[in-house]
Every structure is written in structure tokens, then in C-alpha cells.
Amino acid sequence: MSMRTPGEPRRAGLRWLWRLAPVAALFATMAVVLSLPFAAVALVMPAALGLLVVSLVGMFGGGHRPASFVVSGREFVAPARWWVPALATGWVVFASAQVGRILRPRRGGAWADRLYLEDVVFLGFLAVCLVLLVVLASRRRSVALRPEGVVRWAPTGRVVIPWEAVGQGRGVVVNHYLARWLHLAVVPGGARRRGLVPFIDELPLQELDVDGRFLADAIEFYVRHPERRAAIGSAEEHRRLFADLAEWYAANRPVAPPVG
């Protein structure tokens, strides 16, 4: 297990490959189910169900999350947790295996002469579900802090909350330690939404691979310190932010455990 210095930012690495996983799973599953014997279906389906179960356990489970962002040069990113693309991939495998089961050769290895009406209806339903799953799963799912504000990506859109739109004074961030959602005190009409994104002033902590308290306090810090916003995105600013928050915790929150 690698040890990382507290306050050191993370690198993006190959996280973007996760967004290709549902597309790869679709083609791989169809190829396996259509080309291999029927036993392949019996292997694919339990694997898909196992992936779904593991993803659901990850969704509702806790676990340690790092007090650090991914630094990209112009933003601090709180990336999606591993189970977000894994859950979508499991559903894609499950649905595409059902499609392959209907289209594959039937008794004796011979191709079916025709599809029954219920097969056509079911195939149409699964095709729509597969398209939606692949499209939604390949969309970016994260939260980023930028010099201009907080950006949240959802499967069906994006929300930009300028720093000036986050309420000043006490209550900048409401419910710091909620396990699943982080509520921002956004002034009415302050957020800019593109697409369909419900709850524009809520950040989905359960989907983000970052310590919830660290994310909340970082947002509150930049609301109170506009002079530091221009440096957001650099590794040096990440280290300064971590040090300032650690000092803040020591001075104002002595009962809280140290960050990192």
C-alpha cells in the first residue's frame, strides 16, 4: 500500500478509462453470448449479478476517503467513486446478456427462424435501456472547484455555482457531516444549470471519492478568501489549502480528528 504525504494532491491518472467500461462491457458481453455455447450465458449472468451486488455494497458502505483532490492544472476535482461506473457496467452486462440470449442460436445450435412478438417487444425495451445506460454511464460524474466557482456534473447535465452565489457568513455549508449529501447555501437564482439536474444546491457525497468534511471546508474556505481563488488548480495551492485547513481545525475545532 502506497503512503502519500498529507496534503499532497492526487493525479488524474487513467480514471477516464472507467467511462469506457460500460461500452466495452456491452460489446464484450454480446460477443461472448452470441459466439460461445449456451454455458457462456450461465457464466455471464452470475458475473453481472456479482458486480451489481459488489457495487451496491460499495454504494451504501462507508470506508475511508482521502482528504485531497485530483489536481488537473485549472481545477480541484472530487472524482467519482469506483462503484459509480461499476454499477452502470453491471447493468449493461446484465441487459446485453439478455439481448444475446434472445438473439443467439436456439435448440440444437440452429438459429431461430423468427422472433416472437414478445421477443421483439423485449428487445426494443432492452435496446432503449442499453442506449440510456451507456450514454449516462459515460458522462462525467464529479465535483470540481474552479476559480469561478463550484461545478457539479450529473448524468443528465451540469451545474455551475459561482462563488459569489454561495451565501456569506455562517451557514455557507449546511450539514457538514451528512453521509450522503452536502447542502450549499446558494442564493436564489445564483446557480447556472445546463440540462436536467435536480437539487442544484446539493453535492452527492456518496458518489465522490473525497472526505466530505474536507470538501465542505474547502468550499467554505474559498467563499471566505476570494483572493485565493485564482490559484485553484495548482499543486502548490492544494498544499497551502491543506495546511490552512489543518491550522483552522487545530484552532477552532479541537475535538475533530486531524485531516489526512
Side-chain angles (χ1 to χ4, degrees):
M1 182 176 65
S2 61
M3 298 296 292
R4 193 169 51 83
T5 304
E8 195 67 22
R10 290 179 283 170
R11 301 298 178 183
L14 299 178
R15 288 177 178 269
W16 61 271
L17 286 176
W18 268 109
R19 294 165 62 186
L20 301 179
V23 180
L26 171 62
F27 288 102
T29 304
M30 291 292 290
V32 168
V33 175
L34 291 176
S35 60
L36 297 183
F38 185 77
V41 182
L43 295 176
V44 169
M45 296 300 286
L49 291 175
L51 183 58
L52 289 174
V53 170
V54 171
S55 302
L56 291 173
V57 171
M59 178 191 301
F60 294 105
H64 174 75
R65 303 181 196 179
S68 63
F69 297 117
V70 174
V71 172
S72 66
R74 64 179 302 269
E75 60 186 8
F76 293 153
V77 180
R81 297 180 68 193
W82 64 268
W83 62 260
V84 175
L87 183 62
T89 301
W91 282 115
V92 168
V93 172
F94 185 80
S96 54
Q98 291 291 336
V99 173
R101 181 183 62 81
I102 295 175
L103 295 178
R104 65 173 286 107
R106 295 189 179 178
R107 299 186 189 88
W111 286 92
D113 295 330
R114 64 188 178 89
L115 292 175
Y116 297 104
L117 177 61
E118 57 269 25
D119 293 333
V120 174
V121 173
F122 191 47
L123 279 174
F125 172 75
L126 287 177
V128 172
C129 290
L130 276 174
V131 171
L132 290 175
L133 278 171
V134 171
V135 170
L136 297 181
S138 61
R139 296 290 299 274
R140 182 174 177 179
R141 301 282 286 276
S142 60
V143 169
L145 308 188
R146 290 180 171 178
E148 62 268 24
V150 180
V151 184
R152 172 194 166 196
W153 286 270
T156 54
R158 185 185 69 169
V159 173
V160 178
I161 306 174
W163 294 113
E164 295 75 16
V166 182
Q168 298 288 333
R170 298 182 61 85
V172 169
V173 178
V174 182
N175 294 325
H176 251 133
Y177 306 104
L178 273 183
R180 306 206 175 276
W181 291 93
L182 188 68
H183 177 74
L184 301 183
V186 180
V187 299
R192 301 192 301 269
R193 174 168 47 188
R194 177 179 299 177
L196 179 61
V197 183
F199 311 112
I200 61 175
D201 56 354
E202 303 278 357
L203 304 183
L205 289 181
Q206 80 276 15
E207 295 183 7
L208 302 177
D209 187 27
V210 68
D211 182 84
R213 186 184 63 173
F214 179 74
L215 173 61
D217 289 341
I219 293 174
E220 187 169 355
F221 179 86
Y222 286 116
V223 169
R224 298 177 182 273
H225 297 276
E227 73 281 359
R228 295 277 293 275
R229 298 171 189 167
I232 291 177
S234 69
E236 182 58 33
E237 172 61 17
H238 190 284
R239 298 184 188 100
R240 291 176 60 198
L241 170 67
F242 186 92
D244 290 340
L245 291 182
E247 183 179 350
W248 183 29
Y249 295 148
N252 300 289
R253 300 182 183 182
V255 297
V259 177

